[in-house]
Amino acid sequence: MAFHIVLVNPEIPANTGNIARTCAATGTHLHLVRPLGFSTDDRVLKRAGLDYWYAVNITYYDSFEEVEAANPGSRFFFASTRVNKRYTDFEFRDGDFFVFGKETAGLPQAILDSNPDTCMTIPMTDKVRSLNLANSAAIVVFEALRQNGFPLS
């Protein structure tokens, strides 16, 4: 079983490194959409991922449209604080893609508007604008794994 995390224009290397570590621990494929807000040689990125980079399956793209074109027929779910349907309202299955936007702005509104039936949010109080990107990705991936019986080897 393999899920997919897509980061569209991530800006903070430590978040991407932490997500990469989550991907290594769960067998989740990581997809990074340029431009990235850091170099892939960044020491903070490498440190956050520790020595697990060998276990991360990473693919790079120049646009989100390129991700979609490379994965025809796949199901994409879009995380945002600007929608109302909870991530727990969906039934996830093998091969699903979880798409997250950059830390400072989230996903472009055009992507959300084009996919209203598969946009999801993580409930939180109104005291903060959003959760940390790495935490959000982990919450969604582990919910998908829970729904599928934690099929980790």
Side-chain angles (χ1 to χ4, degrees), residues 3 9 18 24 29 49 51-52 66 73 81 86 92 94 133 148:
F3 291 105
N9 313 133
N18 283 320
H29 188 128
D51 57 346
Y52 301 113
E66 190 178 326
T81 60
R86 296 176 181 189
F92 302 122
D94 188 16
L133 180 62
N148 288 275

Side-chain angles (χ1 to χ4, degrees), residues 23-93:
C23 288
T26 61
T28 300
H29 188 128
L30 180 59
H31 304 263
L32 298 178
V33 179
R34 298 178 189 101
L36 308 179
F38 49 85
S39 164
T40 56
D41 293 329
D42 187 287
R43 67 178 178 77
V44 176
L45 173 73
K46 297 296 184 187
R47 181 180 170 100
L50 294 176
D51 57 346
Y52 301 113
W53 287 100
Y54 73 92
V56 182
N57 186 351
I58 303 177
T59 306
Y60 296 90
Y61 304 89
D62 291 321
S63 70
F64 179 68
E65 293 75 21
E66 190 178 326
V67 177
E68 290 179 304
N71 299 282
S74 296
R75 296 188 335 152
F76 290 86
F77 296 89
F78 303 88
S80 176
T81 60
R82 302 185 307 264
V83 300
N84 294 317
K85 194 165 186 182
R86 296 176 181 189
Y87 72 103
T88 53
D89 293 336
F90 293 94
E91 291 183 20
F92 302 122
R93 62 180 187 235

Side-chain angles (χ1 to χ4, degrees), residues 5 15 82 110 145:
I5 292 176
N15 283 335
R82 302 185 307 264
L145 289 167

